[in-house]
Amino acid sequence: MPAFPEAAREAVGDATLRATLRHATHTIRDKRARAVAELDDWAALREAGRRIKDETLRHLDTHLIRLEESVTAAGGTVHWAADAAEANRIVTELVRATGETEVVKVKSMATQEIGLNEHLEAEGIAAYETDLAELIVQLGEDRPSHILVPAIHRNRGEIRDIFREKMGSWGRPAPEGLSDAPAELAEAARLHLREKFLRAKVGISGANFMVAETGTLVVVESEGNGRMCLTLPETLISVVGVEKVVPTWRDLEVFLQTLPRSSTAERMNPYTSTWTGTADGDGPGTFHLVLLDNGRTDALADEVGRQALRCIRCSACLNVCPVYERAGGHAYGSVYPGPIGAILTPQLRGTASEVDASLPYASSLCGACYEVCPVAIDIPEVLVHLRERVAEEGGKGHRLERAAIKASTWILDHPGVLAAGERLASATRKALPKRLPGPGARQWTDHRDLPELPAEPFRDWWKKNRT
């Protein structure tokens, strides 16, 4: 992936994409605003969510150990994965131990983050996405572009064409004469997936929350595909980031009010599934929980940046962001797009690559993302913090910037030199260029006029008129 500015420049030139994103994000944000306005105590719920998350992160080790004990006591098995490679290896070995060569999946950003589908495919195991939007992305050999609606960049006509062309090679083909009517597209997906649900012996999921008190995992969704994946297979493997733990069931109460309203603008998700270990004759007989770090403890060590780990993946920040609305999710080069991706991805992956170093700058710092965040993540604060980190590491363009600041500091420390420079600039003002040289400076002066220099420096004017 190129750096964000290059990727965004191409996306902004796509008029169809911009129109699709504008319609979708404005619709979702308006519905969310109405749903939130129904609660008189929304501000109190938001603050409660922030405090619960912060307190949990401060004692994350204690809660994770308690979670492991609870899951084990309930009949599950816990695995710890330090990074993506270890998590992929663990999941692959667990699937192979069952003798199966295919799995069904609940929508999971953690498995997308580690590239699990691609790893399983390389090992001869087919992974089928069952969320409607994820199915569209998978059949179209595409990438997700939104946290809540991964196929937000696709219109109905494009989805119809994908179903017609690709469904047959993945299983049951699309019905003859399939139109782009939403009901027909949903029915085609339902028929295509039903045979996979009934056949699969292994399910792979993520989780929205993990309750340390009881070892319970929670998935909230709107289609029912999660319920099918979580109950029908004989073996269930859940891959979950360590930050998703909450201490008690009572803590969960807060997030089951704020997450639906902030994501789907619903009072409650149509499907809220919970499972605790295993039980005879009820759901999978074998349960494995893979706790994923993959850079999270590094983020936790950063006192400013750690607030990104509060995120409950509601996507509200994406739907109000003027940058995301115009550039789309693919420009961020990560499974986590938008404002939250701009602060989370550089902490999980570091800022060594060009795309990761560019993400903290993928924002206007307008603050709309902070205003709608249900756990009060101050995204603008973290963006500025990460920009400082990138600058200190001396990334592209920052060495020249540092040299310019150093030279400016010296000039400002020597008033005589500064005064001489001001007189020279005023005397030659008509000969000065309207645009500054260099690609970095031109990005500003190609679209902004440089201020006109006065005929006389202020210092000289003051001496003549105010002595």
Side-chain angles (χ1 to χ4, degrees):
M1 284 293 298
F4 181 84
E6 288 77 15
R9 187 177 297 112
E10 180 179 350
V12 168
D14 187 336
T16 302
L17 174 65
R18 290 208 320 275
T20 302
L21 287 172
R22 185 185 311 112
H23 173 73
T25 55
H26 282 240
T27 299
I28 297 171
R29 78 166 74 162
D30 292 344
K31 289 175 62 180
R32 176 201 173 275
R34 291 193 294 270
V36 167
E38 294 179 350
L39 296 182
D40 294 334
D41 62 344
W42 178 260
L45 283 168
R46 184 178 191 242
E47 176 63 13
R50 182 192 70 79
R51 292 191 178 197
I52 290 169
K53 280 289 188 176
D54 280 352
E55 181 65 20
T56 303
L57 290 171
R58 273 194 290 270
H59 305 284
L60 186 59
D61 54 345
T62 301
H63 297 304
L64 288 174
I65 291 172
R66 187 183 183 192
L67 174 69
E68 181 182 32
E69 293 171 348
S70 299
V71 170
T72 303
T77 304
V78 176
H79 310 263
W80 299 79
D83 53 26
E86 187 171 11
N88 286 331
R89 176 184 58 77
I90 291 170
V91 174
T92 302
E93 291 176 354
L94 292 174
V95 176
R96 279 180 173 163
T98 68
E100 297 295 317
T101 58
E102 63 180 27
V103 301
V104 288
K105 291 183 69 230
V106 186
K107 178 182 175 183
S108 165
M109 302 203 74
T111 59
Q112 293 170 1
E113 174 190 327
I114 64 177
L116 178 61
N117 286 11
E118 294 78 6
H119 181 83
L120 290 176
E121 182 180 7
E123 297 293 329
I125 300 170
Y128 299 117
E129 296 290 351
T130 63
D131 174 83
L132 176 57
E134 290 290 349
L135 174 65
I136 295 166
V137 169
Q138 186 175 50
L139 293 178
E141 298 178 354
D142 202 349
R143 291 177 293 118
S145 63
H146 192 277
I147 290 176
L148 176 65
V149 195
I152 195 173
H153 57 289
R154 296 288 195 182
N155 60 40
R156 292 184 300 174
E158 291 174 319
I159 295 169
R160 176 203 58 210
D161 294 341
I162 290 172
F163 281 8
R164 285 177 174 178
E165 296 171 10
K166 299 295 182 67
M167 267 188 171
S169 60
W170 285 77
R172 178 169 178 157
E176 289 291 333
L178 178 67
S179 76
D180 65 354
E184 288 193 33
L185 295 174
E187 180 64 14
R190 186 178 297 112
L191 294 172
H192 176 81
L193 291 171
R194 180 66 52 148
E195 63 177 17
K196 291 180 168 52
F197 289 136
L198 297 176
R199 186 177 66 233
K201 303 295 184 183
V202 180
I204 295 178
S205 83
N208 294 96
F209 306 100
M210 303 180 290
V211 183
E213 180 181 37
T214 58
T216 302
L217 275 69
V218 184
V219 161
V220 296
E221 39 113 8
S222 301
E223 300 170 15
N225 63 297
R227 185 70 54 84
M228 302 288 279
C229 289
L230 297 168
T231 56
L232 292 179
E234 297 173 359
T235 299
L236 175 61
I237 304 167
S238 299
V239 182
V240 191
V242 293
E243 81 280 14
K244 295 295 186 70
V245 66
V246 295
T248 68
W249 269 94
R250 186 171 184 176
D251 299 322
L252 192 62
E253 172 195 358
V254 172
F255 302 111
L256 291 184
Q257 294 183 73
T258 56
L259 177 56
R261 281 179 161 84
S262 286
S263 56
T264 57
E266 295 169 298
R267 298 179 182 90
M268 183 176 181
N269 286 94
Y271 295 89
T272 300
S273 300
T274 66
W275 66 100
T276 307
T278 60
D280 293 337
D282 182 16
T286 305
F287 171 57
H288 297 274
L289 171 60
V290 181
L291 292 172
L292 177 68
D293 185 332
N294 204 39
R296 286 160 174 78
T297 53
D298 291 334
L300 187 63
D302 186 328
E303 292 185 3
V304 176
R306 72 172 58 152
Q307 57 186 299
L309 297 179
R310 292 184 207 149
C311 179
I312 57 175
R313 309 291 191 267
C314 70
S315 78
C317 61
L318 280 70
N319 300 322
V320 298
C321 178
V323 177
Y324 175 86
E325 180 186 325
R326 288 157 180 80
H330 290 161
Y332 293 83
S334 164
V335 67
Y336 303 110
I340 187 60
I343 65 171
L344 184 60
T345 301
Q347 294 191 83
L348 297 182
R349 301 196 309 207
T351 55
S353 73
E354 189 174 352
V355 62
D356 292 327
S358 71
L359 289 179
Y361 298 88
S363 171
S364 65
L365 300 180
C366 68
C369 49
Y370 171 66
E371 295 298 326
V372 299
C373 179
V375 285
I377 301 171
D378 194 340
I379 293 178
E381 178 188 32
V382 183
L383 285 167
V384 173
H385 172 68
L386 292 174
R387 290 179 185 186
E388 293 175 356
R389 180 190 298 180
V390 173
E392 289 170 359
E393 292 173 353
K396 183 179 179 181
H398 292 290
R399 287 183 291 274
L400 180 61
E401 180 184 39
R402 194 175 298 173
I405 293 297
K406 188 174 182 180
S408 300
T409 301
W410 184 86
I411 291 172
L412 293 172
D413 282 341
H414 295 79
V417 175
L418 176 62
E422 290 172 343
R423 293 191 188 100
L424 178 62
S426 293
T428 60
R429 69 187 189 283
K430 292 183 179 181
L432 294 176
K434 298 296 183 183
R435 298 180 180 179
L436 295 176
R442 281 201 303 269
Q443 289 179 3
W444 281 86
T445 56
D446 280 351
H447 306 285
R448 299 168 179 82
D449 294 332
L450 285 174
E452 292 187 11
L453 290 172
E456 183 179 30
F458 175 78
R459 292 164 182 260
D460 294 348
W461 178 89
W462 183 268
K463 287 180 180 178
K464 288 192 297 184
N465 293 281
R466 289 291 186 270
T467 56

